[in-house]
Amino acid sequence: MTRYAGRRAVVVGGPPAVDLAIAKRLVEGGARVVFAAPAGERARLRAELGSTAEVVVPGGLDASLGPGAEPTVDLLFAGTAPTARPLLRRLRAGGAVVLTAGPSGTELRALAADPGARGIRVNAVVPGCIAAPGGAPVPLPPLGRLGAAEEVARAALFLATDATFTTGARLPVDGGRSAAPPPD
């Protein structure tokens, strides 16, 4: 599959299972991926993602993106606005940012306002009720099951690549929990 061929993406600082699911889909789609992960996880992740992904420690992102502040990134998936902000200068005009750790609306709007003049869109997924290995039991959302990191990844990739006239949006990926009426 070549859906993301010719694109360079950075994945950093989000929920680990979601970050990995995003990186896998990008690699499968032909993107070149720079994936930030703790030092102890790098060897396993390199093997899992393959040769088109560069796995670096978070502090090594600038070195892997090249010298200077030249824009070299098309897609940025970052956990939070503070993680994304210093990387905005690395985004090419027309690029996209997706925050993956459910930022507040205020935080998202503030980040989205900055790069809009360069045609860079900034959106967010708001994961909830996502299954985690060894996680504590949680009440099921209206859809009657827990979600998977892969489902959050698909929503994030939709915002990054298909929602081309959308910026400042928060997309709940929570099985309907945010839309459900409060319990009595």
Side-chain angles (χ1 to χ4, degrees):
M1 177 176 9
T2 59
R3 178 176 171 92
Y4 309 116
R7 294 188 185 190
R8 189 170 192 200
V10 172
V11 182
V12 58
V18 171
D19 279 358
L20 181 58
I22 290 169
K24 282 181 176 180
R25 287 189 73 85
L26 287 165
V27 166
E28 289 166 2
R32 291 173 295 128
V33 176
V34 179
F35 186 87
E41 296 287 312
R42 289 175 60 203
R44 178 185 65 79
L45 292 168
R46 277 189 189 117
E48 199 164 340
L49 292 171
S51 62
T52 59
E54 182 181 357
V55 182
V56 301
V57 294
L61 278 173
D62 269 339
S64 70
L65 295 177
E70 201 58 33
T72 61
V73 175
D74 302 295
L75 306 171
L76 171 60
F77 299 88
T80 64
T83 301
R85 191 171 300 284
L87 296 168
L88 290 177
R89 64 185 172 82
R90 297 302 201 134
L91 280 165
R92 292 184 178 122
V97 177
V98 178
L99 302 179
T100 58
S104 71
T106 302
E107 182 181 39
L108 177 61
R109 284 188 297 279
L111 186 65
D114 291 344
R118 293 179 34 220
I120 295 171
R121 298 170 297 102
V122 180
N123 294 293
V125 290
V126 184
C129 300
I130 304 301
V138 296
L140 293 178
L143 285 181
R145 65 175 179 84
L146 295 179
E150 173 66 25
E151 291 170 302
V152 179
R154 285 195 306 263
L157 287 160
F158 164 76
L159 288 172
T161 62
D162 292 329
T164 57
F165 196 61
T166 303
T167 194
R170 296 174 77 232
L171 177 60
V173 185
D174 63 4
R177 175 174 256 164
S178 59
D184 293 330

